[in-house]
Amino acid sequence: IFTSGTTGNPKGVCLTHENFWNTFMCNFVHDLQLGENTVFMHISAQTFDASLLEIHGCILNGGKLVIVEKEDFIDSEKAKKIIKSQKINTMFLTTALFNQVAETDPHVFDGVNAIGFGGERCSLNAVNKVFENNTKIRLVNFYGPTETSIYVTREIYERPQKNVTIGFPNRNTSI
């Protein structure tokens, strides 16, 4: 798979099945509360590390995967219609995209139960704007180089925050 390129150009990296499975089953599925009622928005390029989590996280837990073009999601009115009509309740975004949408039109996330985001530091303002409009949402800030198995730390937010961090090590992981 390829890294996001936040430290330069994207590069191809190899993951072991064991590391991916630990990240996936012991952390991602639990943190975003994935299951048979999950309707997951798939927006990542197929070669991007997050696509593994979007596709496998949804399908291997009995959920539904909805493929959305990034251009449609960037248009907040189109995004709202897609989320509502497809009943999307879970998504993963790059932190930059999460920050942009949350700060310009946080109502895009109305009706969404869980949003994971990662790749760089998130905006405290963006996190809190989402909670102004959706008090029952779960936000998960994932962090860590792809080489470690996509991410290695995470912080779960379920209410407005005073600061944001990269969180704590994944279960079954030490850093």
Side-chain angles (χ1 to χ4, degrees):
I1 62 171
F2 284 85
T3 65
S4 62
T6 55
T7 59
N9 293 324
K11 62 182 182 267
V13 297
C14 294
L15 300 180
T16 67
H17 289 98
E18 180 182 33
N19 284 353
F20 174 73
W21 192 249
N22 180 63
T23 298
F24 174 69
M25 290 305 294
C26 296
N27 297 283
F28 191 75
V29 170
H30 179 269
D31 294 340
L32 289 179
Q33 301 176 326
L34 304 179
E36 63 186 27
N37 296 319
T38 299
V39 181
F40 207 114
M41 180 180 77
H42 176 48
I43 193 170
S44 298
Q46 301 297 317
T47 56
F48 181 47
D49 55 5
S51 70
L52 290 173
L53 300 171
E54 292 173 351
I55 296 166
H56 294 94
C58 178
I59 294 174
L60 292 177
N61 287 283
K64 175 182 173 185
L65 188 67
V66 177
I67 299 170
V68 176
E69 295 293 328
K70 186 174 181 181
E71 295 76 28
D72 290 337
F73 188 76
I74 292 172
D75 179 325
S76 64
E77 292 308 312
K78 282 184 181 179
K80 289 177 197 175
K81 288 177 185 172
I82 292 168
I83 290 168
K84 186 175 182 178
S85 69
Q86 296 294 323
K87 298 181 172 83
I88 293 169
N89 57 28
T90 309
M91 61 182 68
F92 181 91
L93 304 170
T94 63
T95 303
L97 184 56
F98 169 77
N99 288 343
Q100 176 186 344
V101 173
E103 291 179 356
T104 57
D105 190 355
H107 289 289
V108 167
F109 302 127
D110 290 356
V112 175
N113 299 330
I115 302 171
F117 51 87
E120 60 190 292
R121 182 174 175 85
C122 72
S123 160
L124 175 62
N125 185 53
V127 167
N128 290 334
K129 276 191 162 282
V130 170
F131 284 114
E132 287 175 13
N133 297 293
N134 192 337
T135 58
K136 296 182 181 186
I137 198 165
R138 175 180 264 225
L139 303 177
V140 186
N141 183 11
F142 297 106
Y143 182 79
T146 301
E147 295 84 347
T148 64
S149 189
I150 304 176
Y151 67 93
V152 72
T153 67
R154 77 268 185 274
E155 181 74 40
I156 298 172
Y157 308 122
E158 294 181 311
R159 62 187 169 282
Q161 299 295 302
K162 292 186 179 175
N163 77 23
V164 293
T165 70
I166 62 170
F168 301 94
N170 288 346
R171 292 166 197 85
N172 298 327
T173 305
S174 60
I175 55 172

